[in-house]
C-alpha cells in the first residue's frame, strides 16, 4: 500500500461546531504544507499511549496549510472523544498519520448525499467538490436535535439543496424521498450511525452506494481454522491459529506493520494480497474490492484456503 505522512501538528484553533462536537484546526509547527487530500479522507490521531483514533478531514482540500477535524463527545465511548474534549488545548501538539481515503468521491453527474450526526464530516468537503464540478446534488442531513448537528451554518449557503432534519422535529430521516426515485446515473454517499447505513443499504442499488462506517458492521463469519501466511518481503511463513488475527500473528513474529482500530473500520492495516483468497470481515472494502481480493484488512480478515501470500 502507498506510504502516508506522519507528522506532529499544533492545535491552532479549538471551537465547538455544535453541542458536543469539537472542531480542531491543525497546522505544521513550522508552517510547512501538509499532505494533499481529497474529500472522504481521514487521518489517524495519536492521543496517548495505546489511544489512537480516526477522524475525517472536514476542511478545504485546497488549503494545505491546515487540516480540520471534528470530534463528537461520546459518553459511552472508549475514551478517545473524552480525551479530545477534556485534555486537548490550543497550542498542544498531536502526532497525526495520514491522510488515507477509502471513501473517495467518484465522478458523477448527480449525487445524493445522506449524513447522520457526525457523519457530516466526510460529506462536507464532498459537497464543495460536487458544486465545483457542476454536478447536480442534494444532501439529507439528520441528527438528534438541531443544536447537536455540526456545520449547519456552513451548509446554509447551499440553500434548498440541503435538507436539515433533526429527529426531535421531523422524526427519522425520510430515505424514500431520496432513494425511491433515484436517477440511474446518481451516486449515493452516506455516512453516519450503523442503523442509518443499514437502512440505506437495504433501499439503495449496491452499485450506486458508497458508505463509510465509524463502527464495525456485523459480518457473516465462518469457522476459524488454522492457515499459513507467507511474508513475501522476508520469505518467512507464519501459522495463523484459530481465534488469532493475521495482524497479531505477524507482529508476534517481529514484523512491523501499521494498524489502529483492530476492528476492520479504519483501513490502516490494509495489506496487498499476492496469492490466495482472503475471507473479508472488514467494514471498509466495497463488494467489488472484496471480489477482486487484491488487498485485505489483516486485523480481522482471514483466509478461505490454506495459505495466503502477503506483501509484508
Amino acid at each position: 500500500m502507498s506510504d502516508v505522512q506522519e507528522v506532529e501538528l499544533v492545535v491552532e484553533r479549538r471551537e465547538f461546531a455544535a453541542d458536543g462536537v469539537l472542531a480542531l484546526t491543525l497546522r505544521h509547527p513550522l508552517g510547512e504544507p501538509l499532505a494533499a487530500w481529497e474529500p472522504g479522507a481521514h487521518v489517524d490521531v495519536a492521543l496517548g499511549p495505546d489511544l489512537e483514533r480516526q477522524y475525517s478531514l472536514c476542511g478545504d482540500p485546497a488549503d494545505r496549510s491546515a487540516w480540520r477535524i471534528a470530534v463528537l463527545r461520546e459518553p459511552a465511548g472508549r475514551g478517545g472523544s473524552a480525551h479530545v474534549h477534556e485534555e486537548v488545548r490550543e497550542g498542544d501538539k498531536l502526532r497525526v498519520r495520514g491522510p488515507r481515503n477509502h471513501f473517495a468521491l467518484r465522478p458523477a453527474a448527480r449525487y445524493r448525499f445522506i449524513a447522520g450526526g457526525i457523519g457530516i464530516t466526510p460529506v462536507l468537503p464532498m459537497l464543495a467538490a460536487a458544486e465545483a464540478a457542476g454536478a447536480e446534488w442534494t444532501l439529507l442531513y439528520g441528527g438528534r436535535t438541531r443544536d447537536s448537528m455540526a456545520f449547519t451554518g456552513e451548509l446554509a449557503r447551499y440553500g434548498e439543496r440541503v435538507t436539515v432534519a433533526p429527529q426531535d422535529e421531523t422524526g427519522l430521516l425520510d430515505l424514500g424521498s431520496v432513494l425511491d426515485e433515484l436517477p440511474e446515473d446518481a451516486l449515493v454517499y452516506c455516512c453516519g450511525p450503523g442503523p442509518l447505513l443499514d437502512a440505506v443499504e437495504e433501499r439503495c442499488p449496491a452499485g450506486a452506494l458508497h458508505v463509510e462506517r465509524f463502527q464495525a458492521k456485523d459480518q457473516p463469519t465462518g469457522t476459524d481454522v488454522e492457515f499459513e501466511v507467507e511474508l513475501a518481503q522476508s520469505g518467512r511463513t507464519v501459522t495463523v491459529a484459530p481465534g488469532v488475527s493475521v495482524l497479531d500473528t505477524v507482529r508476534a513474529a517481529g514484523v512491523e506493520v501499521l494498524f489502529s482500530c483492530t476492528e476492520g473500520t479504519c483501513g490502516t492495516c490494509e495489506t496487498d494480497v499476492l496469492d490466495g483468497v482472503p475471507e473479508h470481515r472488514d467494514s471498509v472494502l466495497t463488494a467489488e474490492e472484496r471480489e477482486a481480493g487484491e488487498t485485505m484488512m489483516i486485523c480481522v480478515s482471514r483466509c478461505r484456503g490454506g495459505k495466503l501470500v502477503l506483501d509484508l
Side-chain angles (χ1 to χ4, degrees):
M1 303 307 298
S2 60
D3 293 334
V4 294
Q5 180 186 61
E6 183 168 337
V7 64
E8 190 173 64
L9 302 181
V10 175
V11 179
E12 180 189 68
R13 185 180 306 157
R14 181 182 187 276
E15 57 187 342
F16 281 92
D19 286 350
V21 179
L22 181 64
L24 302 179
T25 300
L26 310 175
R27 294 188 186 271
H28 193 283
L30 301 179
E32 297 180 5
L34 303 179
W37 61 280
E38 296 181 350
H42 72 266
V43 292
D44 307 325
V45 181
L47 301 172
D50 301 319
L51 187 60
E52 186 173 288
R53 295 292 183 267
Q54 291 72 45
Y55 300 110
S56 297
L57 292 173
C58 57
D60 179 3
D63 180 8
R64 295 187 58 184
S65 69
W67 284 344
R68 183 176 69 170
I69 61 174
V71 182
L72 170 67
R73 176 69 182 262
E74 298 184 86
R78 297 178 296 160
S81 67
H83 179 92
V84 172
H85 279 249
E86 297 173 8
E87 304 295 335
V88 175
R89 295 291 180 263
E90 292 180 357
D92 287 354
K93 292 183 178 181
L94 296 174
R95 184 170 55 84
V96 182
R97 184 172 64 240
R100 58 172 54 84
N101 198 341
H102 290 281
F103 194 41
L105 185 67
R106 298 183 182 179
R110 295 178 177 84
Y111 296 100
R112 298 295 180 261
F113 298 103
I114 302 173
I118 198 63
I120 191 62
T121 50
V123 171
L124 199 60
M126 291 183 178
L127 304 182
E131 183 78 357
E136 185 267 311
W137 63 267
T138 63
L139 166 66
L140 179 61
Y141 177 24
R144 291 179 291 103
T145 65
R146 190 174 296 272
D147 288 343
S148 72
M149 299 172 68
F151 304 118
T152 52
E154 294 183 25
L155 293 171
R157 65 189 177 101
Y158 294 121
E160 294 182 355
R161 281 172 293 177
V162 174
T163 300
V164 175
Q167 185 174 348
D168 65 339
E169 298 177 21
T170 64
L172 295 177
L173 287 180
D174 180 8
L175 298 179
S177 66
V178 176
L179 301 177
D180 285 353
E181 297 183 4
L182 186 69
E184 290 186 2
D185 59 350
L187 295 182
V188 178
Y189 279 79
C190 181
C191 186
L196 171 62
L197 301 187
D198 293 341
V200 172
E201 286 182 339
E202 289 179 0
R203 303 185 68 151
C204 185
L209 180 60
H210 301 269
V211 302
E212 181 170 63
R213 291 181 177 269
F214 295 137
Q215 295 180 329
K217 181 181 180 181
D218 290 337
Q219 300 285 350
T221 60
T223 301
D224 282 0
V225 296
E226 180 180 287
F227 61 95
E228 292 186 340
V229 172
E230 179 181 332
L231 311 177
Q233 294 183 23
S234 66
R236 299 175 59 191
T237 297
V238 297
T239 300
V240 180
V244 181
S245 70
V246 176
L247 173 64
D248 287 344
T249 302
V250 298
R251 291 186 67 225
V255 177
E256 294 293 331
V257 59
L258 293 178
F259 70 97
S260 182
C261 73
T262 70
E263 296 178 342
T265 59
C266 73
T268 303
C269 71
E270 185 174 10
T271 301
D272 288 335
V273 178
L274 304 181
D275 196 17
V277 181
E279 180 184 276
H280 297 291
R281 300 184 182 182
D282 65 275
S283 300
V284 176
L285 297 178
T286 65
E288 293 80 6
E289 290 168 333
R290 289 179 173 224
E291 181 66 25
E294 296 176 353
T295 68
M296 65 182 289
M297 308 303 156
I298 61 173
C299 65
V300 292
S301 297
R302 300 185 69 80
C303 178
R304 289 195 178 277
K307 183 177 181 179
L308 290 171
V309 181
L310 301 181
D311 189 18
L312 291 174

